[in-house]
């Protein structure tokens, strides 16, 4: 099995996440892509973090129409800070030693890779698929050997922008699936600064 993992806060999930997952699935012939919402991101503040249950449900809604995409609650169930090394170990055990794990990340995550827990061990256990813009000026990084670059048209969508739009009453239409947009309004998410971890 060739397994893709895309981890993130998904606060909320949007078309940028879904698009890189879909491109990675096709370009690297992955059997499935697993979306893993984190419990507590090691490198981000959590003042605007919606509850794990809400973020999980939004991902579930976003992927339900795609049989190649699944959601895992592994990091939410584990609790505490979410470290990818623990998640990769868990999936390797679940899918067997023959399975190959590909971690799908965006360019901002590539720049932070050196700060990930046990990164030297992690690069021995999985490969990275890095979504980059065409003609991106690549700087050398210590992780080049384990990173496959995947060129994608830049989609300047971010969860931060979506949260800010909701807070100020601006439209979020066409930035994320409609079912997720409805969930946000129905559950009054991102209206004010709050942490429901
Ligand atoms: P925030 O704005 O809250 O920081 P985000 O939109 O960057 O969130 P994350 O959940 O932190 O979303 O991202 C998960 C992964 O998806 C990361 O590896 C990130 O680089 C990647 N990613 C997020 N948005 C995009 C995008 N528009 N295009 C390509 N990759 C993206």
């Amino acid at each position: 099995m060739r397994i893709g993992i895309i981890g993130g806060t998904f606060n909320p999930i949007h078309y940028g996440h879904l698009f890189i997952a879909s491109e990675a699935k096709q370009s690297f012939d992955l059997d499935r892509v697993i979306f893993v919402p984190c419990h507590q991101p090691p490198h981000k503040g959590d003042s605007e973090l919606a509850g794990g249950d809400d973020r999980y449900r939004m991902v579930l809604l976003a992927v339900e129409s795609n049989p190649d995409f699944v959601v895992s609650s592994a990091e939410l169930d584990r609790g505490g800070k979410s470290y990818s090394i623990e998640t990769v170990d868990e999936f390797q055990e679940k899918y067997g030693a023959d399975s190959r794990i590909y971690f799908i990340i965006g360019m901002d995550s590539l720049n932070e890779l050196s700060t990930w827990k046990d990164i030297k061990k992690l690069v021995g256990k999985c490969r990275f698929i890095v979504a980059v813009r065409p003609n991106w000026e690549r700087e050398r990084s210590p992780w080049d050997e384990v990173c496959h670059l995947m060129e994608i048209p830049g989609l300047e969508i971010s969860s931060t922008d979506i949260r800010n739009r909701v807070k100020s009453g601006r439209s979020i239409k066409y930035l994320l699936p409609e079912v997720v947009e409805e969930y946000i309004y129905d559950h009054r998410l991102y209206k004010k600064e709050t942490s429901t971890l």
Side-chain angles (χ1 to χ4, degrees):
M1 282 263 262
R2 293 163 66 83
I3 311 279
I5 297 180
I6 175 163
T9 42
F10 301 123
N11 187 35
I13 188 165
H14 55 66
Y15 281 133
H17 303 127
L18 292 160
F19 183 66
I20 65 170
S22 165
E23 283 288 286
K25 154 90 181 82
Q26 195 167 40
S27 307
F28 292 86
D29 200 21
L30 304 177
D31 293 296
R32 76 176 52 156
V33 177
I34 308 173
F35 288 71
V36 189
C38 70
H39 180 257
Q40 217 177 321
H43 308 297
K44 280 187 191 179
D46 59 12
S47 68
E48 290 193 313
L49 195 60
D53 198 40
D54 283 325
R55 291 181 291 114
Y56 178 81
R57 281 160 188 255
M58 288 190 281
V59 179
L60 210 54
L61 288 169
V63 306
E64 69 186 354
S65 61
N66 188 333
D68 299 324
F69 288 177
V70 293
V71 192
S72 163
S73 61
E75 294 190 352
L76 293 169
D77 294 343
R78 223 164 44 226
K81 288 205 170 169
S82 303
Y83 295 114
S84 302
I85 183 101
E86 293 172 16
T87 307
V88 166
D89 282 345
E90 210 171 311
F91 286 130
Q92 195 73 71
E93 172 120 17
K94 180 171 176 185
Y95 290 100
D98 290 350
S99 298
R100 197 154 244 264
I101 295 185
Y102 292 83
F103 221 99
I104 305 163
I105 59 173
M107 279 196 307
D108 50 338
S109 300
L110 175 64
N111 298 330
E112 293 172 351
L113 223 47
S114 299
T115 67
W116 287 24
K117 186 179 176 219
D118 290 336
I119 182 67
K120 285 191 182 144
K121 274 194 208 155
L122 185 61
V123 298
K125 293 169 186 263
C126 66
R127 296 187 159 254
F128 289 87
I129 298 173
V130 188
V132 297
R133 279 185 215 94
N135 310 319
W136 174 54
E137 291 270 336
R138 185 180 188 178
E139 285 171 31
R140 290 212 61 76
S141 108
W143 321 116
D144 283 354
E145 266 180 35
V146 291
C147 287
H148 300 288
L149 297 191
M150 174 178 74
E151 285 199 358
I152 53 153
L155 274 186
E156 298 297 328
I157 303 174
S158 74
S159 303
T160 303
D161 178 53
I162 292 171
R163 293 193 302 275
N164 288 338
R165 283 172 168 273
V166 173
K167 223 178 289 168
S168 57
R170 283 158 66 215
S171 170
I172 54 171
K173 220 173 184 38
Y174 311 123
L175 298 174
L176 73 182
E178 254 176 42
V179 278
V180 178
E181 186 187 347
E182 278 164 21
Y183 188 97
I184 290 172
Y185 294 135
D186 286 352
H187 294 80
R188 306 184 59 77
L189 300 183
Y190 310 125
K191 274 291 181 201
K192 55 180 173 15
E193 297 226 346
T194 174
S195 170
T196 47
L197 242 189

